[in-house]
Amino acid sequence: MKGSMRKMLCMGLTALSMGVMMPGAVSAEKAAITMPQKMANGETVEVYYRKGLPLTAARARAAELKRETMVLKAGSIRREGSKPLTCDILFEKDVPVTLRDGTVIYTDIFRPVDDKQHPAIMAWSPYGKEIGGQWLDDVPGRAGVPQAATSGLEKFEAPDPAYWVAQGYVIINPDSRGAYHSEGNLNYWGSQNSKDGYDTIEWAAKQPWSNGKIGMSGNSWLTVSQWFIAGEQPPHLAAIAPWEGFVDHFRETANRGGIPNPVFPEGIFETFASKNYIEDQPRMVVTHTLLDAYWQDKIAKLQNIHIPAYVVASFTNPVHTHGTFAGFRQIPSKDKWLRVHNTNEWADYYLPEHVEDLRKFFDHYLKGVANDWEKTPRVRLSVLDPGHKDVVDRVEQEFPLARTQYKKLYLTSQKTLAGAKEAQEQIISYDTQAKQPAVNFVLTFDKDTELTGYMNLHTYVEADGSDDMELQVTVQKLDKDGKVITDPVTHMPTFSEGYLRVSQRALDTHKSTPAEPVLKHTREDLLKKGEIVPVDIGIWPMGMKYHAGEKLQLTIAAYQPPKADSVPPFGIAKIAVPAKGYTFRPGEKTAMKTLGGGHTEVAHPELAVKAPATRNKGKHIIHVGGKYDSYLLVPVVPEK
């Protein structure tokens, strides 16, 4: 990079203690820089970059760069305890792909051992195309995915080559730009990453083993990549299978409700390995707190997606729930399907019956198999019922459900939710510095009721002692005794949330509906002393069954930043794989190497971005009754 193309970042102790770096001074190691970057709208933005893990870090679990081709034999295994291969696989390691700007990235390719042409499925991410910095073994209980469920050839969150090659597919596992040995700087989605995915798909379609039809699969980051890359309309991308992933990075994860949250991005950043620089998105979160050109570039072009899509969502993912439903609803494809599960993204993705279901989808659109896939119900819905039995795969025609009846539950001074508002104006308040700075409102159901869809809290608020408020709103189910019901698998409560920095309360009236407020995020309107303002706080979609006597609890609380340990300890698991040859026969004595390191192994801990202090001070006052039309709008679903 030329000197004119970057500014060094100040390493002062004050800036570091705030978790924010200021441009101007030079780091001795040049561990952090800014670079001008052109966004999709043509505007140039100075984007922060910094160094991530070196490839030598144990936590990175990096593979050496070595181009080679080998046949992985049927019956061999990648790891002790993993599923044996059911067929021979031609494995091409570190195949170079040259992108339109001359940058070379590297991809692994798994394909049938023949000279025929096959469809391919690409899994796009920077996590490492072999083991890499994130792996299911890092997650408690492997998130319910037995090691024997897959071969271990898969990259994290991606399709298992052992299964798909046996079904006549090619699996393409790239390390995206800047990841591991791939050239360039590592980017988070956006226009650059999308174009790189486009180029790789078009490269793959020209290979002699390709039938010209490429699909995409995988969950989380790999799903977000699908929304973005498909939005660029690569001619040979024939179908996608987004399995839980957001579409609007600002609104759905980084600055949800306008509140900067760098904790999750920072935890993920610390698992990335690169020879070059990595986009310092955690720092962009805390320095670009409005929906500017940078964040506009992080919104997928859903309006451009006309190809078939098999979309999988859940109601319980704190990062992906809203975006997955939004993606399904907003893409104009006439061939789209939605399945809503009741477990977690990883367990659902690798469940054998769901793998078979996905194969039927890809067989139809990538192979042209007449298998009646198009007769699959357009929506298969789960409805959660903690304490009882969930509804799974209920056939519906659309989402949200057309038969939904929206009902207003009014907030009362008695801290209940009622069918009518109080005649007199009342106030409810809490001290933001209290041990539990929150207020609960409860409704007891007099009959069995299903609430499935979007919720909106419309209320009037006032700040006593501050010019802003940061609110966290939660809706959850309680049993007949008013106790939280935990999930029998995760032992965690099931709930849906909404967030708001009140200064960013302005609505985009063209996109908002009564049940789904959409915020502009283009300005801040700070509060004046004694000012009472109406706010709409969208609560992510939920499908929940309440039985007579059970309760719905609405909690309005002062926002508390999440703790750093909310991100799994990625990179810590020790993974033993063959030192040479990639797979081996079960029971065979072979030289092994162990990959994995310490969770605390961070490239530059002094540059870690911490959650900024909240704007909450003094008291939060909620106005109800009389002229204050404060209510929770809920989606009541009558039985068919």
Side-chain angles (χ1 to χ4, degrees):
M1 293 170 293
K2 297 180 180 179
S4 61
M5 293 182 63
R6 65 190 183 189
K7 294 184 292 183
M8 294 302 165
L9 304 178
C10 176
M11 301 288 287
L13 292 175
T14 301
L16 285 173
S17 67
M18 294 173 61
V20 177
M21 301 192 66
M22 304 300 293
V26 177
S27 154
E29 295 181 319
K30 297 182 180 178
I33 62 174
T34 62
M35 288 189 289
Q37 198 167 309
K38 184 169 285 189
M39 302 294 120
N41 67 355
E43 185 176 335
T44 298
V45 175
E46 287 285 337
V47 178
Y48 290 107
Y49 283 80
R50 61 177 149 126
K51 288 285 191 178
L53 290 173
L55 271 59
T56 54
R59 188 182 182 190
R61 294 189 289 227
E64 64 175 328
L65 179 64
K66 184 179 181 182
R67 186 168 187 188
E68 57 184 339
T69 300
M70 65 186 78
V71 175
L72 310 179
K73 302 300 292 183
S76 67
I77 57 175
R78 175 69 164 149
R79 300 173 59 196
E80 289 288 356
S82 292
K83 189 175 183 178
L85 309 190
T86 58
C87 71
D88 289 354
I89 296 176
L90 185 62
F91 173 46
E92 297 179 272
K93 185 178 184 299
D94 290 323
V95 178
V97 179
T98 303
L99 306 176
R100 68 184 71 181
D101 64 355
T103 299
V104 175
I105 66 171
Y106 295 95
T107 185
D108 288 350
I109 297 173
F110 300 85
R111 58 189 180 90
V113 185
D114 59 31
D115 295 324
K116 298 178 181 178
Q117 293 181 324
H118 299 276
I121 302 172
M122 184 173 78
W124 185 270
S125 75
Y127 291 149
K129 53 188 174 55
E130 293 187 30
I131 303 296
Q134 298 192 32
W135 197 248
L136 275 178
D137 290 48
D138 298 322
V139 180
R142 284 179 52 92
V145 182
Q147 187 179 328
T150 65
S151 68
L153 298 180
E154 71 277 2
K155 68 190 298 190
F156 182 58
E157 302 180 321
D160 183 1
Y163 172 85
W164 289 97
V165 172
Q167 303 298 326
Y169 287 85
V170 176
I171 293 295
I172 306 169
N173 285 348
D175 276 340
S176 59
R177 177 187 294 259
Y180 291 84
H181 294 283
S182 289
E183 297 175 357
N185 297 317
L186 196 159
N187 293 302
Y188 281 70
W189 307 293
S191 52
Q192 177 67 71
N193 196 64
S194 303
K195 291 172 184 175
D196 291 350
Y198 177 114
D199 292 350
T200 306
I201 287 169
E202 294 309 297
W203 169 87
K206 296 175 183 176
Q207 301 309 302
W209 43 256
S210 174
N211 74 347
K213 291 185 180 294
I214 313 295
M216 294 187 73
S217 181
N219 57 53
S220 191
W221 186 294
L222 290 81
T223 281
V224 182
S225 299
Q226 292 179 64
W227 296 126
F228 277 83
I229 293 170
E232 294 296 320
Q233 299 181 314
H236 290 90
L237 180 59
I240 57 174
W243 223 276
E244 296 209 53
F246 57 78
V247 297
D248 183 332
H249 197 7
F250 184 94
R251 289 188 175 99
E252 293 172 348
T253 57
N255 294 64
R256 187 173 163 190
I259 303 174
N261 178 12
V263 175
F264 184 77
E266 180 66 32
I268 299 301
F269 181 99
E270 292 175 358
T271 69
F272 290 154
S274 177
K275 296 190 299 182
N276 303 305
Y277 285 94
I278 302 170
E279 185 176 333
D280 191 352
Q281 193 168 86
R283 208 165 308 281
M284 299 300 288
V285 168
V286 298
T287 57
H288 287 244
T289 57
L290 295 175
L291 190 56
D292 59 8
Y294 173 80
W295 291 112
Q296 290 287 348
D297 196 62
K298 307 297 185 187
I299 300 176
K301 301 174 184 175
L302 299 176
Q303 69 276 10
N304 292 346
I305 302 177
H306 297 271
I307 59 175
Y310 176 6
V311 182
V312 177
S314 75
F315 292 120
T316 53
N317 192 301
V319 181
H320 302 313
T321 290
H322 186 277
T324 314
F325 284 105
F328 171 76
R329 295 176 63 192
Q330 293 178 35
I331 62 173
S333 173
K334 63 181 179 61
D335 299 315
K336 60 180 180 179
W337 287 263
L338 173 68
R339 184 172 60 79
V340 183
H341 67 81
N342 68 330
T343 57
N344 71 73
E345 58 191 313
W346 297 317
D348 184 82
Y349 185 73
Y350 291 111
L351 200 64
E353 53 262 43
H354 297 157
V355 176
E356 289 294 324
D357 202 45
L358 180 59
R359 179 181 63 82
K360 187 176 179 182
F361 170 77
F362 278 140
D363 279 354
H364 188 69
Y365 289 107
L366 301 186
K367 289 185 175 182
V369 176
N371 57 12
D372 290 334
W373 168 263
E374 64 275 16
K375 295 181 182 178
T376 302
R378 290 294 174 144
V379 174
R380 288 171 284 175
L381 185 68
S382 288
V383 179
L384 307 181
D385 194 357
H388 304 273
K389 186 177 180 180
D390 294 348
V391 173
V392 178
D393 285 345
R394 188 176 77 197
V395 174
E396 299 288 352
Q397 299 301 314
E398 70 286 305
F399 190 89
L401 305 180
R403 64 184 184 279
T404 302
Q405 299 171 358
Y406 289 98
K407 181 177 180 180
K408 293 179 180 179
L409 303 177
Y410 290 91
L411 282 60
T412 75
S413 58
Q414 286 75 44
K415 299 180 182 178
T416 63
L417 296 168
K421 67 177 176 179
E422 294 175 295
Q424 300 298 317
E425 298 167 13
Q426 306 282 350
I427 64 170
I428 304 163
S429 67
Y430 57 82
D431 187 336
T432 62
Q433 305 307 307
K435 187 175 181 179
Q436 292 184 321
V439 59
N440 297 322
F441 299 86
V442 176
L443 169 73
T444 301
F445 288 89
D446 58 6
K447 62 180 180 180
D448 291 2
T449 305
E450 178 186 329
L451 303 182
T452 296
Y454 297 81
M455 292 174 279
N456 177 24
L457 174 63
H458 175 81
T459 189
Y460 291 79
V461 297
E462 176 188 356
D464 180 3
S466 179
D467 61 2
D468 209 346
M469 306 168 71
E470 292 179 348
L471 300 174
Q472 181 173 349
V473 175
T474 305
V475 173
Q476 64 180 331
K477 174 179 172 177
L478 307 179
D479 66 15
K480 295 180 180 180
D481 297 322
K483 297 178 180 178
V484 173
I485 308 172
T486 58
D487 182 273
V489 177
T490 65
H491 305 293
M492 298 291 289
T494 301
F495 53 83
S496 188
E497 292 181 311
Y499 296 83
L500 180 66
R501 174 177 277 183
V502 171
S503 61
Q504 293 191 34
R505 62 190 176 276
L507 292 175
D508 185 328
T509 56
H510 296 291
K511 296 180 179 178
S512 296
T513 68
E516 297 176 78
V518 179
L519 303 174
K520 284 185 174 181
H521 295 301
T522 55
R523 70 176 192 268
E524 288 197 343
D525 298 311
L526 296 174
L527 298 172
K528 301 179 181 65
K529 185 176 181 179
E531 184 179 13
I532 302 169
V533 298
V535 295
D536 288 273
I537 305 176
I539 299 167
W540 279 10
M542 173 57 73
M544 184 69 72
K545 179 71 176 289
Y546 294 85
H547 297 263
E550 293 179 339
K551 306 173 190 299
L552 179 154
Q553 178 174 275
L554 165 70
T555 302
I556 303 175
Y559 170 77
Q560 303 290 328
K563 299 184 183 300
D565 62 6
S566 60
V567 182
F570 287 121
I572 197 170
K574 303 295 192 295
I575 312 294
V577 296
K580 295 181 180 179
Y582 217 74
T583 62
F584 61 100
R585 292 282 177 182
E588 176 185 349
K589 291 185 177 180
T590 186
M592 304 292 284
K593 60 183 178 182
T594 300
L595 306 174
H599 180 47
T600 57
E601 189 178 15
V602 179
H604 291 277
E606 76 280 5
L607 300 183
V609 180
K610 298 178 175 61
T614 76
R615 295 182 176 182
N616 291 325
K617 298 177 183 177
K619 288 185 178 181
H620 286 175
I621 302 172
I622 302 162
H623 293 261
V624 303
K627 66 180 180 181
Y628 296 114
D629 205 25
S630 293
Y631 58 82
L632 175 69
L633 188 68
V634 297
V636 180
V637 177
E639 293 184 7
K640 289 185 179 180

